[in-house]
Amino acid sequence: MTDSLVFIGDGLTSGGRWDEWFPEFNVHNFGVSGETTDALLLRLQQVSELEPNAVIVQIGTNDVGWRRSDEYIVRNVETILYRLRKQLPDTRILAQSIPPRERDHVDVIRSINRHIRQFAPTLHAGYLDLWPMLADPDGEISEGFSEDRLHLNDAGYAVWLAEMKLALELLYETPTSTSVIPVQYI
């Protein structure tokens, strides 16, 4: 039986040719152009119903574009990850950073990514940081990876894909959860 991968997120996810890039998996691309964290929260049930082996989450850049606060976005991303873990306790989860975009969003995106990186392990989820590969030294997305400072071009997707392959290898080497240690009361 082939493992199933579900990709959820915004237009960056939607634009990926994940089924072509991961032919060894049964891939479902639930990326939606313009998707926000609020909208994704409303669609999580369709992901849970598939009972996939792994869920790959990349969301938040549209919230940043709408100028929502980093606290608001972090809370929603944490809720997404929490609900996925609760509904799919045996599924591998990979949370991804919000990729860089225009320079005026650098500080907010860095704040959000720091929180996601710290929170993901608490739910036994992996974390893939796309920032170092896609950003210029000033924090803006590298011109070579995007024509509009938001959407990825083929070179940007190639970088993401290379990192994704490594992240999936690590994700499949890690248990989906750990057993609960019973607490003894005296």
Side-chain angles (χ1 to χ4, degrees), residues 95-101 106 109-110 113-114 117 127-143 145 152 155-156 159-160 162-164 166:
Q96 298 177 88
S97 65
I98 297 174
R101 47 182 295 171
V106 169
I109 294 173
R110 281 186 174 150
N113 288 343
R114 183 178 57 253
R117 181 181 66 242
Y127 179 76
L128 173 56
D129 189 358
L130 300 171
W131 192 275
M133 287 69 63
L134 297 173
D136 281 337
D138 65 0
E140 188 170 41
I141 190 166
S142 177
E143 197 174 296
F145 300 133
L152 297 176
V159 169
W160 188 3
E163 294 300 317
M164 175 68 69
L166 293 171

PDB file of all heavy atoms in Angstrom, residues 95-101 106 109-110 113-114 117 127-143 145 152 155-156 159-160 162-164 166:
ATOM      1  N   ALA A  95       5.306  20.888   9.578  1.00  0.00           N
ATOM      2  CA  ALA A  95       4.993  22.314   9.510  1.00  0.00           C
ATOM      3  C   ALA A  95       6.142  23.009   8.794  1.00  0.00           C
ATOM      4  O   ALA A  95       7.301  22.670   9.008  1.00  0.00           O
ATOM      5  CB  ALA A  95       4.829  22.881  10.917  1.00  0.00           C
ATOM      6  N   GLN A  96       5.801  23.975   7.949  1.00  0.00           N
ATOM      7  CA  GLN A  96       6.823  24.701   7.220  1.00  0.00           C
ATOM      8  C   GLN A  96       6.769  26.177   7.562  1.00  0.00           C
ATOM      9  O   GLN A  96       5.712  26.719   7.866  1.00  0.00           O
ATOM     10  CB  GLN A  96       6.615  24.522   5.710  1.00  0.00           C
ATOM     11  CG  GLN A  96       6.743  23.069   5.293  1.00  0.00           C
ATOM     12  CD  GLN A  96       6.463  22.917   3.831  1.00  0.00           C
ATOM     13  OE1 GLN A  96       7.372  23.041   3.020  1.00  0.00           O
ATOM     14  NE2 GLN A  96       5.227  22.667   3.477  1.00  0.00           N
ATOM     15  N   SER A  97       7.901  26.801   7.461  1.00  0.00           N
ATOM     16  CA  SER A  97       7.974  28.240   7.700  1.00  0.00           C
ATOM     17  C   SER A  97       7.221  28.987   6.608  1.00  0.00           C
ATOM     18  O   SER A  97       6.984  28.465   5.521  1.00  0.00           O
ATOM     19  CB  SER A  97       9.430  28.694   7.711  1.00  0.00           C
ATOM     20  OG  SER A  97      10.013  28.522   6.431  1.00  0.00           O
ATOM     21  N   ILE A  98       6.864  30.206   6.929  1.00  0.00           N
ATOM     22  CA  ILE A  98       6.366  31.102   5.889  1.00  0.00           C
ATOM     23  C   ILE A  98       7.597  31.557   5.115  1.00  0.00           C
ATOM     24  O   ILE A  98       8.561  32.044   5.711  1.00  0.00           O
ATOM     25  CB  ILE A  98       5.639  32.314   6.500  1.00  0.00           C
ATOM     26  CG1 ILE A  98       4.411  31.851   7.288  1.00  0.00           C
ATOM     27  CG2 ILE A  98       5.251  33.306   5.403  1.00  0.00           C
ATOM     28  CD1 ILE A  98       3.719  32.964   8.033  1.00  0.00           C
ATOM     29  N   PRO A  99       7.596  31.389   3.807  1.00  0.00           N
ATOM     30  CA  PRO A  99       8.770  31.812   3.041  1.00  0.00           C
ATOM     31  C   PRO A  99       8.915  33.332   3.041  1.00  0.00           C
ATOM     32  O   PRO A  99       7.957  34.063   3.280  1.00  0.00           O
ATOM     33  CB  PRO A  99       8.486  31.306   1.624  1.00  0.00           C
ATOM     34  CG  PRO A  99       7.321  30.409   1.722  1.00  0.00           C
ATOM     35  CD  PRO A  99       6.592  30.757   2.967  1.00  0.00           C
ATOM     36  N   PRO A 100      10.103  33.812   2.746  1.00  0.00           N
ATOM     37  CA  PRO A 100      10.290  35.263   2.652  1.00  0.00           C
ATOM     38  C   PRO A 100       9.464  35.824   1.503  1.00  0.00           C
ATOM     39  O   PRO A 100       9.101  35.117   0.575  1.00  0.00           O
ATOM     40  CB  PRO A 100      11.784  35.414   2.391  1.00  0.00           C
ATOM     41  CG  PRO A 100      12.217  34.116   1.821  1.00  0.00           C
ATOM     42  CD  PRO A 100      11.316  33.069   2.407  1.00  0.00           C
ATOM     43  N   ARG A 101       9.178  37.106   1.611  1.00  0.00           N
ATOM     44  CA  ARG A 101       8.508  37.838   0.532  1.00  0.00           C
ATOM     45  C   ARG A 101       9.056  39.252   0.503  1.00  0.00           C
ATOM     46  O   ARG A 101      10.257  39.395   0.675  1.00  0.00           O
ATOM     47  CB  ARG A 101       6.985  37.749   0.624  1.00  0.00           C
ATOM     48  CG  ARG A 101       6.398  38.010   1.994  1.00  0.00           C
ATOM     49  CD  ARG A 101       4.904  37.867   2.063  1.00  0.00           C
ATOM     50  NE  ARG A 101       4.211  38.877   1.254  1.00  0.00           N
ATOM     51  CZ  ARG A 101       2.920  38.858   1.010  1.00  0.00           C
ATOM     52  NH1 ARG A 101       2.168  37.904   1.481  1.00  0.00           N
ATOM     53  NH2 ARG A 101       2.362  39.807   0.288  1.00  0.00           N
ATOM     54  N   VAL A 106       9.483  41.317   6.594  1.00  0.00           N
ATOM     55  CA  VAL A 106      10.550  40.485   7.154  1.00  0.00           C
ATOM     56  C   VAL A 106      10.382  40.242   8.654  1.00  0.00           C
ATOM     57  O   VAL A 106      10.422  39.098   9.116  1.00  0.00           O
ATOM     58  CB  VAL A 106      11.942  41.095   6.854  1.00  0.00           C
ATOM     59  CG1 VAL A 106      13.039  40.400   7.641  1.00  0.00           C
ATOM     60  CG2 VAL A 106      12.231  41.018   5.364  1.00  0.00           C
ATOM     61  N   ILE A 109       7.300  37.984   9.563  1.00  0.00           N
ATOM     62  CA  ILE A 109       7.493  36.596   9.142  1.00  0.00           C
ATOM     63  C   ILE A 109       8.524  35.904  10.030  1.00  0.00           C
ATOM     64  O   ILE A 109       8.331  34.754  10.439  1.00  0.00           O
ATOM     65  CB  ILE A 109       7.879  36.509   7.653  1.00  0.00           C
ATOM     66  CG1 ILE A 109       6.710  36.987   6.777  1.00  0.00           C
ATOM     67  CG2 ILE A 109       8.271  35.082   7.278  1.00  0.00           C
ATOM     68  CD1 ILE A 109       7.046  37.094   5.302  1.00  0.00           C
ATOM     69  N   ARG A 110       9.606  36.573  10.351  1.00  0.00           N
ATOM     70  CA  ARG A 110      10.617  35.971  11.235  1.00  0.00           C
ATOM     71  C   ARG A 110      10.014  35.635  12.604  1.00  0.00           C
ATOM     72  O   ARG A 110      10.296  34.585  13.177  1.00  0.00           O
ATOM     73  CB  ARG A 110      11.811  36.897  11.397  1.00  0.00           C
ATOM     74  CG  ARG A 110      12.751  36.856  10.230  1.00  0.00           C
ATOM     75  CD  ARG A 110      13.991  37.676  10.494  1.00  0.00           C
ATOM     76  NE  ARG A 110      14.946  37.502   9.410  1.00  0.00           N
ATOM     77  CZ  ARG A 110      15.811  38.418   9.036  1.00  0.00           C
ATOM     78  NH1 ARG A 110      15.859  39.586   9.643  1.00  0.00           N
ATOM     79  NH2 ARG A 110      16.637  38.185   8.042  1.00  0.00           N
ATOM     80  N   ASN A 113       7.710  32.553  12.183  1.00  0.00           N
ATOM     81  CA  ASN A 113       8.501  31.341  11.960  1.00  0.00           C
ATOM     82  C   ASN A 113       9.194  30.868  13.232  1.00  0.00           C
ATOM     83  O   ASN A 113       9.289  29.664  13.489  1.00  0.00           O
ATOM     84  CB  ASN A 113       9.514  31.564  10.841  1.00  0.00           C
ATOM     85  CG  ASN A 113       8.846  31.637   9.483  1.00  0.00           C
ATOM     86  OD1 ASN A 113       7.706  31.237   9.304  1.00  0.00           O
ATOM     87  ND2 ASN A 113       9.572  32.163   8.512  1.00  0.00           N
ATOM     88  N   ARG A 114       9.683  31.792  14.030  1.00  0.00           N
ATOM     89  CA  ARG A 114      10.318  31.429  15.300  1.00  0.00           C
ATOM     90  C   ARG A 114       9.316  30.682  16.191  1.00  0.00           C
ATOM     91  O   ARG A 114       9.635  29.651  16.773  1.00  0.00           O
ATOM     92  CB  ARG A 114      10.863  32.665  15.996  1.00  0.00           C
ATOM     93  CG  ARG A 114      11.596  32.360  17.304  1.00  0.00           C
ATOM     94  CD  ARG A 114      12.189  33.602  17.973  1.00  0.00           C
ATOM     95  NE  ARG A 114      11.173  34.618  18.252  1.00  0.00           N
ATOM     96  CZ  ARG A 114      11.019  35.766  17.589  1.00  0.00           C
ATOM     97  NH1 ARG A 114      11.806  36.064  16.574  1.00  0.00           N
ATOM     98  NH2 ARG A 114      10.075  36.620  17.922  1.00  0.00           N
ATOM     99  N   ARG A 117       8.514  27.166  14.712  1.00  0.00           N
ATOM    100  CA  ARG A 117       9.665  26.276  14.924  1.00  0.00           C
ATOM    101  C   ARG A 117       9.700  25.757  16.358  1.00  0.00           C
ATOM    102  O   ARG A 117       9.997  24.598  16.609  1.00  0.00           O
ATOM    103  CB  ARG A 117      10.966  27.009  14.597  1.00  0.00           C
ATOM    104  CG  ARG A 117      12.206  26.138  14.765  1.00  0.00           C
ATOM    105  CD  ARG A 117      13.497  26.883  14.458  1.00  0.00           C
ATOM    106  NE  ARG A 117      13.734  27.930  15.434  1.00  0.00           N
ATOM    107  CZ  ARG A 117      13.799  29.233  15.175  1.00  0.00           C
ATOM    108  NH1 ARG A 117      13.647  29.677  13.941  1.00  0.00           N
ATOM    109  NH2 ARG A 117      14.017  30.106  16.126  1.00  0.00           N
ATOM    110  N   TYR A 127       9.571  20.268  11.355  1.00  0.00           N
ATOM    111  CA  TYR A 127       9.585  21.667  10.937  1.00  0.00           C
ATOM    112  C   TYR A 127      10.597  21.833   9.817  1.00  0.00           C
ATOM    113  O   TYR A 127      11.737  21.384   9.920  1.00  0.00           O
ATOM    114  CB  TYR A 127       9.952  22.587  12.104  1.00  0.00           C
ATOM    115  CG  TYR A 127      10.015  24.044  11.726  1.00  0.00           C
ATOM    116  CD1 TYR A 127       8.858  24.782  11.530  1.00  0.00           C
ATOM    117  CD2 TYR A 127      11.244  24.681  11.540  1.00  0.00           C
ATOM    118  CE1 TYR A 127       8.910  26.123  11.174  1.00  0.00           C
ATOM    119  CE2 TYR A 127      11.301  26.028  11.183  1.00  0.00           C
ATOM    120  CZ  TYR A 127      10.118  26.735  10.999  1.00  0.00           C
ATOM    121  OH  TYR A 127      10.171  28.058  10.646  1.00  0.00           O
ATOM    122  N   LEU A 128      10.166  22.469   8.732  1.00  0.00           N
ATOM    123  CA  LEU A 128      11.042  22.761   7.606  1.00  0.00           C
ATOM    124  C   LEU A 128      11.146  24.268   7.464  1.00  0.00           C
ATOM    125  O   LEU A 128      10.151  24.950   7.215  1.00  0.00           O
ATOM    126  CB  LEU A 128      10.482  22.151   6.310  1.00  0.00           C
ATOM    127  CG  LEU A 128      11.213  22.511   5.015  1.00  0.00           C
ATOM    128  CD1 LEU A 128      12.701  22.151   5.079  1.00  0.00           C
ATOM    129  CD2 LEU A 128      10.546  21.842   3.822  1.00  0.00           C
ATOM    130  N   ASP A 129      12.358  24.783   7.629  1.00  0.00           N
ATOM    131  CA  ASP A 129      12.611  26.217   7.534  1.00  0.00           C
ATOM    132  C   ASP A 129      13.072  26.551   6.117  1.00  0.00           C
ATOM    133  O   ASP A 129      14.195  26.251   5.733  1.00  0.00           O
ATOM    134  CB  ASP A 129      13.669  26.630   8.556  1.00  0.00           C
ATOM    135  CG  ASP A 129      13.824  28.135   8.662  1.00  0.00           C
ATOM    136  OD1 ASP A 129      13.150  28.866   7.913  1.00  0.00           O
ATOM    137  OD2 ASP A 129      14.622  28.581   9.506  1.00  0.00           O
ATOM    138  N   LEU A 130      12.190  27.182   5.348  1.00  0.00           N
ATOM    139  CA  LEU A 130      12.496  27.543   3.969  1.00  0.00           C
ATOM    140  C   LEU A 130      13.259  28.860   3.860  1.00  0.00           C
ATOM    141  O   LEU A 130      13.808  29.183   2.814  1.00  0.00           O
ATOM    142  CB  LEU A 130      11.190  27.655   3.167  1.00  0.00           C
ATOM    143  CG  LEU A 130      10.350  26.386   3.114  1.00  0.00           C
ATOM    144  CD1 LEU A 130       8.994  26.669   2.487  1.00  0.00           C
ATOM    145  CD2 LEU A 130      11.084  25.299   2.351  1.00  0.00           C
ATOM    146  N   TRP A 131      13.282  29.610   4.948  1.00  0.00           N
ATOM    147  CA  TRP A 131      13.866  30.945   4.943  1.00  0.00           C
ATOM    148  C   TRP A 131      15.327  30.966   4.467  1.00  0.00           C
ATOM    149  O   TRP A 131      15.671  31.734   3.565  1.00  0.00           O
ATOM    150  CB  TRP A 131      13.747  31.545   6.343  1.00  0.00           C
ATOM    151  CG  TRP A 131      14.056  32.992   6.377  1.00  0.00           C
ATOM    152  CD1 TRP A 131      15.294  33.568   6.489  1.00  0.00           C
ATOM    153  CD2 TRP A 131      13.132  34.069   6.267  1.00  0.00           C
ATOM    154  NE1 TRP A 131      15.192  34.926   6.478  1.00  0.00           N
ATOM    155  CE2 TRP A 131      13.869  35.262   6.343  1.00  0.00           C
ATOM    156  CE3 TRP A 131      11.752  34.139   6.125  1.00  0.00           C
ATOM    157  CZ2 TRP A 131      13.273  36.514   6.277  1.00  0.00           C
ATOM    158  CZ3 TRP A 131      11.170  35.376   6.064  1.00  0.00           C
ATOM    159  CH2 TRP A 131      11.924  36.553   6.137  1.00  0.00           C
ATOM    160  N   PRO A 132      16.227  30.172   5.060  1.00  0.00           N
ATOM    161  CA  PRO A 132      17.653  30.288   4.691  1.00  0.00           C
ATOM    162  C   PRO A 132      17.928  30.041   3.208  1.00  0.00           C
ATOM    163  O   PRO A 132      18.849  30.625   2.649  1.00  0.00           O
ATOM    164  CB  PRO A 132      18.344  29.222   5.543  1.00  0.00           C
ATOM    165  CG  PRO A 132      17.409  28.931   6.652  1.00  0.00           C
ATOM    166  CD  PRO A 132      16.033  29.180   6.112  1.00  0.00           C
ATOM    167  N   MET A 133      17.134  29.202   2.573  1.00  0.00           N
ATOM    168  CA  MET A 133      17.379  28.875   1.173  1.00  0.00           C
ATOM    169  C   MET A 133      16.806  29.905   0.211  1.00  0.00           C
ATOM    170  O   MET A 133      17.283  30.050  -0.904  1.00  0.00           O
ATOM    171  CB  MET A 133      16.780  27.507   0.823  1.00  0.00           C
ATOM    172  CG  MET A 133      17.545  26.327   1.386  1.00  0.00           C
ATOM    173  SD  MET A 133      17.466  26.155   3.172  1.00  0.00           S
ATOM    174  CE  MET A 133      15.741  25.881   3.465  1.00  0.00           C
ATOM    175  N   LEU A 134      15.747  30.607   0.627  1.00  0.00           N
ATOM    176  CA  LEU A 134      15.028  31.481  -0.300  1.00  0.00           C
ATOM    177  C   LEU A 134      15.260  32.973  -0.086  1.00  0.00           C
ATOM    178  O   LEU A 134      14.904  33.775  -0.938  1.00  0.00           O
ATOM    179  CB  LEU A 134      13.520  31.192  -0.220  1.00  0.00           C
ATOM    180  CG  LEU A 134      13.081  29.788  -0.646  1.00  0.00           C
ATOM    181  CD1 LEU A 134      11.598  29.592  -0.351  1.00  0.00           C
ATOM    182  CD2 LEU A 134      13.371  29.541  -2.114  1.00  0.00           C
ATOM    183  N   ALA A 135      15.843  33.358   1.051  1.00  0.00           N
ATOM    184  CA  ALA A 135      15.965  34.784   1.390  1.00  0.00           C
ATOM    185  C   ALA A 135      17.335  35.352   1.030  1.00  0.00           C
ATOM    186  O   ALA A 135      18.357  34.679   1.140  1.00  0.00           O
ATOM    187  CB  ALA A 135      15.716  34.984   2.878  1.00  0.00           C
ATOM    188  N   ASP A 136      17.312  36.611   0.644  1.00  0.00           N
ATOM    189  CA  ASP A 136      18.541  37.391   0.513  1.00  0.00           C
ATOM    190  C   ASP A 136      18.992  37.790   1.920  1.00  0.00           C
ATOM    191  O   ASP A 136      18.224  37.674   2.882  1.00  0.00           O
ATOM    192  CB  ASP A 136      18.277  38.664  -0.312  1.00  0.00           C
ATOM    193  CG  ASP A 136      18.219  38.390  -1.808  1.00  0.00           C
ATOM    194  OD1 ASP A 136      18.788  37.371  -2.253  1.00  0.00           O
ATOM    195  OD2 ASP A 136      17.599  39.205  -2.521  1.00  0.00           O
ATOM    196  N   PRO A 137      20.212  38.307   2.073  1.00  0.00           N
ATOM    197  CA  PRO A 137      20.689  38.717   3.397  1.00  0.00           C
ATOM    198  C   PRO A 137      19.781  39.736   4.104  1.00  0.00           C
ATOM    199  O   PRO A 137      19.694  39.745   5.324  1.00  0.00           O
ATOM    200  CB  PRO A 137      22.068  39.314   3.119  1.00  0.00           C
ATOM    201  CG  PRO A 137      22.538  38.613   1.885  1.00  0.00           C
ATOM    202  CD  PRO A 137      21.288  38.397   1.062  1.00  0.00           C
ATOM    203  N   ASP A 138      19.070  40.574   3.335  1.00  0.00           N
ATOM    204  CA  ASP A 138      18.188  41.566   3.958  1.00  0.00           C
ATOM    205  C   ASP A 138      16.828  40.978   4.353  1.00  0.00           C
ATOM    206  O   ASP A 138      15.981  41.672   4.901  1.00  0.00           O
ATOM    207  CB  ASP A 138      17.995  42.775   3.047  1.00  0.00           C
ATOM    208  CG  ASP A 138      17.255  42.448   1.753  1.00  0.00           C
ATOM    209  OD1 ASP A 138      16.879  41.276   1.525  1.00  0.00           O
ATOM    210  OD2 ASP A 138      17.044  43.378   0.949  1.00  0.00           O
ATOM    211  N   GLY A 139      16.600  39.695   4.069  1.00  0.00           N
ATOM    212  CA  GLY A 139      15.365  39.025   4.454  1.00  0.00           C
ATOM    213  C   GLY A 139      14.311  38.968   3.372  1.00  0.00           C
ATOM    214  O   GLY A 139      13.309  38.272   3.516  1.00  0.00           O
ATOM    215  N   GLU A 140      14.507  39.687   2.289  1.00  0.00           N
ATOM    216  CA  GLU A 140      13.539  39.653   1.192  1.00  0.00           C
ATOM    217  C   GLU A 140      13.754  38.382   0.380  1.00  0.00           C
ATOM    218  O   GLU A 140      14.860  37.849   0.320  1.00  0.00           O
ATOM    219  CB  GLU A 140      13.736  40.890   0.312  1.00  0.00           C
ATOM    220  CG  GLU A 140      12.670  41.053  -0.749  1.00  0.00           C
ATOM    221  CD  GLU A 140      12.767  42.415  -1.426  1.00  0.00           C
ATOM    222  OE1 GLU A 140      13.891  42.864  -1.704  1.00  0.00           O
ATOM    223  OE2 GLU A 140      11.717  43.004  -1.665  1.00  0.00           O
ATOM    224  N   ILE A 141      12.696  37.890  -0.254  1.00  0.00           N
ATOM    225  CA  ILE A 141      12.855  36.704  -1.098  1.00  0.00           C
ATOM    226  C   ILE A 141      13.830  37.024  -2.232  1.00  0.00           C
ATOM    227  O   ILE A 141      13.792  38.109  -2.814  1.00  0.00           O
ATOM    228  CB  ILE A 141      11.502  36.193  -1.644  1.00  0.00           C
ATOM    229  CG1 ILE A 141      11.686  34.825  -2.305  1.00  0.00           C
ATOM    230  CG2 ILE A 141      10.859  37.198  -2.564  1.00  0.00           C
ATOM    231  CD1 ILE A 141      10.394  34.090  -2.578  1.00  0.00           C
ATOM    232  N   SER A 142      14.704  36.097  -2.501  1.00  0.00           N
ATOM    233  CA  SER A 142      15.720  36.301  -3.525  1.00  0.00           C
ATOM    234  C   SER A 142      15.070  36.479  -4.896  1.00  0.00           C
ATOM    235  O   SER A 142      14.147  35.753  -5.262  1.00  0.00           O
ATOM    236  CB  SER A 142      16.661  35.098  -3.553  1.00  0.00           C
ATOM    237  OG  SER A 142      17.604  35.231  -4.583  1.00  0.00           O
ATOM    238  N   GLU A 143      15.561  37.445  -5.628  1.00  0.00           N
ATOM    239  CA  GLU A 143      15.044  37.756  -6.964  1.00  0.00           C
ATOM    240  C   GLU A 143      15.094  36.548  -7.889  1.00  0.00           C
ATOM    241  O   GLU A 143      14.262  36.398  -8.773  1.00  0.00           O
ATOM    242  CB  GLU A 143      15.864  38.910  -7.546  1.00  0.00           C
ATOM    243  CG  GLU A 143      15.219  39.604  -8.706  1.00  0.00           C
ATOM    244  CD  GLU A 143      16.034  40.818  -9.126  1.00  0.00           C
ATOM    245  OE1 GLU A 143      16.147  41.752  -8.316  1.00  0.00           O
ATOM    246  OE2 GLU A 143      16.552  40.795 -10.259  1.00  0.00           O
ATOM    247  N   PHE A 145      14.330  33.567  -7.220  1.00  0.00           N
ATOM    248  CA  PHE A 145      13.305  32.573  -6.889  1.00  0.00           C
ATOM    249  C   PHE A 145      11.881  33.078  -7.068  1.00  0.00           C
ATOM    250  O   PHE A 145      10.922  32.333  -6.867  1.00  0.00           O
ATOM    251  CB  PHE A 145      13.492  32.078  -5.456  1.00  0.00           C
ATOM    252  CG  PHE A 145      14.825  31.439  -5.223  1.00  0.00           C
ATOM    253  CD1 PHE A 145      15.581  31.772  -4.118  1.00  0.00           C
ATOM    254  CD2 PHE A 145      15.342  30.506  -6.115  1.00  0.00           C
ATOM    255  CE1 PHE A 145      16.811  31.178  -3.889  1.00  0.00           C
ATOM    256  CE2 PHE A 145      16.583  29.909  -5.897  1.00  0.00           C
ATOM    257  CZ  PHE A 145      17.318  30.249  -4.785  1.00  0.00           C
ATOM    258  N   LEU A 152       6.567  31.723  -6.084  1.00  0.00           N
ATOM    259  CA  LEU A 152       7.819  31.083  -6.490  1.00  0.00           C
ATOM    260  C   LEU A 152       7.833  30.792  -7.980  1.00  0.00           C
ATOM    261  O   LEU A 152       6.810  30.447  -8.567  1.00  0.00           O
ATOM    262  CB  LEU A 152       8.010  29.769  -5.722  1.00  0.00           C
ATOM    263  CG  LEU A 152       8.154  29.882  -4.207  1.00  0.00           C
ATOM    264  CD1 LEU A 152       8.242  28.494  -3.581  1.00  0.00           C
ATOM    265  CD2 LEU A 152       9.363  30.716  -3.839  1.00  0.00           C
ATOM    266  N   ALA A 155      12.769  27.943 -10.242  1.00  0.00           N
ATOM    267  CA  ALA A 155      13.988  27.847  -9.417  1.00  0.00           C
ATOM    268  C   ALA A 155      13.626  27.819  -7.933  1.00  0.00           C
ATOM    269  O   ALA A 155      14.235  27.081  -7.153  1.00  0.00           O
ATOM    270  CB  ALA A 155      14.925  29.012  -9.719  1.00  0.00           C
ATOM    271  N   GLY A 156      12.640  28.610  -7.539  1.00  0.00           N
ATOM    272  CA  GLY A 156      12.194  28.615  -6.142  1.00  0.00           C
ATOM    273  C   GLY A 156      11.587  27.276  -5.738  1.00  0.00           C
ATOM    274  O   GLY A 156      11.872  26.748  -4.660  1.00  0.00           O
ATOM    275  N   VAL A 159      14.339  24.637  -5.210  1.00  0.00           N
ATOM    276  CA  VAL A 159      14.967  24.734  -3.885  1.00  0.00           C
ATOM    277  C   VAL A 159      14.045  24.122  -2.830  1.00  0.00           C
ATOM    278  O   VAL A 159      14.479  23.346  -1.981  1.00  0.00           O
ATOM    279  CB  VAL A 159      15.290  26.207  -3.552  1.00  0.00           C
ATOM    280  CG1 VAL A 159      15.679  26.368  -2.101  1.00  0.00           C
ATOM    281  CG2 VAL A 159      16.400  26.713  -4.456  1.00  0.00           C
ATOM    282  N   TRP A 160      12.771  24.473  -2.873  1.00  0.00           N
ATOM    283  CA  TRP A 160      11.793  23.944  -1.920  1.00  0.00           C
ATOM    284  C   TRP A 160      11.731  22.426  -2.018  1.00  0.00           C
ATOM    285  O   TRP A 160      11.747  21.720  -1.012  1.00  0.00           O
ATOM    286  CB  TRP A 160      10.439  24.570  -2.203  1.00  0.00           C
ATOM    287  CG  TRP A 160       9.359  24.284  -1.198  1.00  0.00           C
ATOM    288  CD1 TRP A 160       9.453  23.571  -0.025  1.00  0.00           C
ATOM    289  CD2 TRP A 160       8.008  24.719  -1.262  1.00  0.00           C
ATOM    290  NE1 TRP A 160       8.247  23.545   0.626  1.00  0.00           N
ATOM    291  CE2 TRP A 160       7.341  24.250  -0.119  1.00  0.00           C
ATOM    292  CE3 TRP A 160       7.293  25.473  -2.186  1.00  0.00           C
ATOM    293  CZ2 TRP A 160       5.991  24.500   0.124  1.00  0.00           C
ATOM    294  CZ3 TRP A 160       5.959  25.727  -1.942  1.00  0.00           C
ATOM    295  CH2 TRP A 160       5.306  25.237  -0.803  1.00  0.00           C
ATOM    296  N   ALA A 162      13.993  20.262  -3.092  1.00  0.00           N
ATOM    297  CA  ALA A 162      15.200  19.619  -2.551  1.00  0.00           C
ATOM    298  C   ALA A 162      15.130  19.551  -1.026  1.00  0.00           C
ATOM    299  O   ALA A 162      15.445  18.516  -0.420  1.00  0.00           O
ATOM    300  CB  ALA A 162      16.444  20.380  -3.002  1.00  0.00           C
ATOM    301  N   GLU A 163      14.702  20.636  -0.404  1.00  0.00           N
ATOM    302  CA  GLU A 163      14.583  20.655   1.053  1.00  0.00           C
ATOM    303  C   GLU A 163      13.445  19.754   1.535  1.00  0.00           C
ATOM    304  O   GLU A 163      13.540  19.111   2.576  1.00  0.00           O
ATOM    305  CB  GLU A 163      14.378  22.091   1.554  1.00  0.00           C
ATOM    306  CG  GLU A 163      15.570  22.985   1.311  1.00  0.00           C
ATOM    307  CD  GLU A 163      16.838  22.493   1.989  1.00  0.00           C
ATOM    308  OE1 GLU A 163      16.773  22.059   3.158  1.00  0.00           O
ATOM    309  OE2 GLU A 163      17.901  22.542   1.350  1.00  0.00           O
ATOM    310  N   MET A 164      12.359  19.716   0.778  1.00  0.00           N
ATOM    311  CA  MET A 164      11.214  18.876   1.140  1.00  0.00           C
ATOM    312  C   MET A 164      11.586  17.401   1.136  1.00  0.00           C
ATOM    313  O   MET A 164      11.183  16.643   2.012  1.00  0.00           O
ATOM    314  CB  MET A 164      10.060  19.135   0.162  1.00  0.00           C
ATOM    315  CG  MET A 164       8.853  18.225   0.383  1.00  0.00           C
ATOM    316  SD  MET A 164       8.004  18.547   1.919  1.00  0.00           S
ATOM    317  CE  MET A 164       7.326  20.137   1.535  1.00  0.00           C
ATOM    318  N   LEU A 166      14.492  16.053   1.758  1.00  0.00           N
ATOM    319  CA  LEU A 166      15.255  15.786   2.981  1.00  0.00           C
ATOM    320  C   LEU A 166      14.345  15.786   4.206  1.00  0.00           C
ATOM    321  O   LEU A 166      14.468  14.931   5.091  1.00  0.00           O
ATOM    322  CB  LEU A 166      16.358  16.831   3.149  1.00  0.00           C
ATOM    323  CG  LEU A 166      17.475  16.818   2.122  1.00  0.00           C
ATOM    324  CD1 LEU A 166      18.373  18.040   2.301  1.00  0.00           C
ATOM    325  CD2 LEU A 166      18.278  15.540   2.226  1.00  0.00           C
TER     326      LEU A 166
END
